[in-house]
Amino acid sequence: MKYKVLKARDIYRMGLFCEGRVMNVKLEADTEDPALLLYKRNEKEHFLKISFPKEDRAGNIWILSLEFEEDLEEGVEYNFTDSKGNIFEDPYGKVFSGRDSFGKEYENPLRSAIRQKDLCKESGFFLNRKLNESIVYRLNVRAFTKSASSKVVHKGTFFALEEKLDYIKSLGVNTVLLMPAQEFLELRKDKRLDIWGYETARHFAPKASYCTKKNRDPVSEYKSMVNAYHKADIEVWQEFYFDKKDTAYTLEVLRYWVREYRLDGIYLSGSFDIESIINDAGLSKTKILASYIDEGFKRENLLVYNDNFQNTMRRFLKGDEGILNEVFAGIRSNPKIKRLKYLADMQGFSLMDVFSYDMKHNEQNGEDNKDGIVYNYSWNCGAEGKTAKKKVLSLREKLYKNALVLSLLSPSVPMICSGDEFGNTRKGNNNAFCRDDDTFYVDWKILKKNESRLNWFKYLVSLRKKYKIFSSDKEFTMLDTISCGMPDMSVHGVQAWKAEFDVHNRQLGIYYSGKYFDKENSEDIYILYNMHWEEHKFSLPHIGKGLSWYMLFDTDSDYEELESLYEAPEKLGEIKSLVIKPRSIVFLIVK
């Protein structure tokens, strides 16, 4: 194939880019005399070798600009070689061949496909939803649909996420957060698979084994998934794991994914410079999640993602003493930099397992059950794992319902992990990174059996959307700043207006004045929490003449028709007090 070398133009990003018959390559390599190798698809030997001009070298940056006399064939691939004949891949490759099967060993070095399409033309649009309005659904691309019970055609792929789009939309969530889906090396040195993706990665490329086999095109398939979710008004966030701190590289990766794939949010794990990422102009409108973000940053696109809320609320649910101050602070917390609120993550126990296991059960992982977090703030409710004891099952169900209330009906940003909306189990495994099997896959066959759990989740989501208190972007002052006779939020004990944070107490009430948040649904809300194993009688705040208390739920009760309760809450009248059953939460409104 004939070509001519052009005068190099250092206006391109790192990697290889084609514009018609013009190819521009920018390579970082600490070597002498590197050369570009071109291959035809499925052919072992290269058909063209082109050296980088030495005069266009700057330090370890090499630039090559070419123009071919004819169009390249579809499917041409490339990598590089040095003067010693060592072949190496492009760390900035946008898609890699030879990685089509998950968990399969591959031959080094890999080759990148030359993509001739204009990436940006395939891209859709950003949703730009306010962060405080987000309801997050976290999932692993492979595990979400890999089970035979998922009943999708393209199991474990980006296309399968499109197949499940109607289901996800039906939940009422408006954001999906993907675990790492870049081209990570899932086959570890110890030959175990890492399905979570916290391994070395080729960050610019979507994972080829998360794509359909026919006409495999990871770039287009990922873009198709994002565009489909955006058309359904659902944002797409993705986690990025970096195993070393290289700020320039990290920023280029994140800018690329936001620009080319229209990602709405990025969750950072591993090693990175959070300050540089937050201050980057190209990411100023992108939601940024990290385990710690300094309060000094005055941005509205930042979200703290850590287990603090989870661990406090798990302790509260199982009745630990001396933590009411932490519980109230966790529920109240709604600072400018938002907090992600959840009771279970992809790492650790599933939500149902939190109330089914006292101890981790990681025997299958091959580490003699020594891996994983030792203490999970969990409680088996009286029997370890699967049981037929009705009292145990009833208690687990109540705590499960309470857990969803704590995450979905607390201010800031709630999150639930895939399958937790209907009680998926990992059989007590709290470190299922290496379980590329039914242990970590979502078990869809239990969905019908657990439909009442799913309906409960949807009901809480509908309440969150109706009452803007929970998605407010304002911090709570606990003062009457609008002279309406009530503060925006107040905390109570069994006696109204008397907070009781004594060590032995396990109950509190939180009163929200709706006048501060929403003109349309301005009812006051009073949520009563009793995590004691005994019932407690709560006195209720005075609400004035002509107003009544209404109940929207009591987690001690089973409601068959949640939809009717939403439309017509149970009227309690002008009652002065209310008995709250053991380990129960009651949601009241005033109107």
Side-chain angles (χ1 to χ4, degrees), residues 521-532:
N521 295 299
S522 60
E523 296 99 338
D524 290 356
I525 293 173
Y526 194 29
I527 304 181
L528 302 166
Y529 306 85
N530 178 23
M531 291 304 118
H532 200 196

Side-chain angles (χ1 to χ4, degrees), residues 3 6 10 62 65 120 122 156 165 174 176 216 241 250 286 312 358 374 407 425 478 494 523-524 532 549:
Y3 65 90
L6 305 175
D10 189 9
W62 301 79
S65 295
C120 286
E122 297 177 356
L165 177 54
N174 55 26
V176 293
R216 194 182 298 276
Y241 172 80
T250 300
T286 304
T312 296
D358 272 356
V374 175
S407 59
T425 178
M478 300 187 70
V494 292
E523 296 99 338
D524 290 356
H532 200 196
W549 291 101

Side-chain angles (χ1 to χ4, degrees), residues 456-473:
W456 176 249
F457 174 80
K458 292 179 179 180
Y459 180 60
L460 295 180
V461 170
S462 68
L463 291 179
R464 181 181 182 86
K465 289 182 176 180
K466 180 176 182 178
Y467 296 104
K468 305 303 182 184
I469 287 169
F470 303 114
S471 58
S472 171
D473 62 348

Side-chain angles (χ1 to χ4, degrees), residues 140-165:
N140 178 285
V141 175
R142 181 172 173 83
F144 188 56
T145 59
K146 190 58 181 175
S147 169
S149 63
S150 67
K151 296 183 179 179
V152 298
V153 177
H154 306 290
K155 293 178 176 58
T157 66
F158 299 123
F159 269 158
L161 296 187
E162 290 191 51
E163 293 181 75
K164 284 291 186 183
L165 177 54

Side-chain angles (χ1 to χ4, degrees), residues 12 32 223 393 450 454 469 480 490 510 558:
Y12 291 90
E32 298 299 324
K223 284 178 179 286
L393 294 174
N450 297 336
L454 182 64
I469 287 169
D480 182 6
S490 53
I510 300 179
D558 292 322

Side-chain angles (χ1 to χ4, degrees), residues 288-335:
I288 296 174
L289 293 71
S291 61
Y292 173 78
I293 299 175
D294 191 278
E295 291 292 341
F297 290 108
K298 304 299 181 184
R299 299 284 181 86
E300 296 182 351
N301 63 326
L302 307 179
L303 182 59
V304 173
Y305 185 153
N306 60 42
D307 291 343
N308 292 350
F309 181 86
Q310 167 193 279
N311 294 341
T312 296
M313 297 308 156
R314 285 186 184 183
R315 292 175 62 199
F316 183 45
L317 286 169
K318 69 189 187 73
D320 283 4
E321 64 179 16
I323 62 165
L324 278 189
N325 270 305
E326 293 178 49
V327 170
F328 176 62
I331 293 173
R332 177 190 177 188
S333 176
N334 192 38

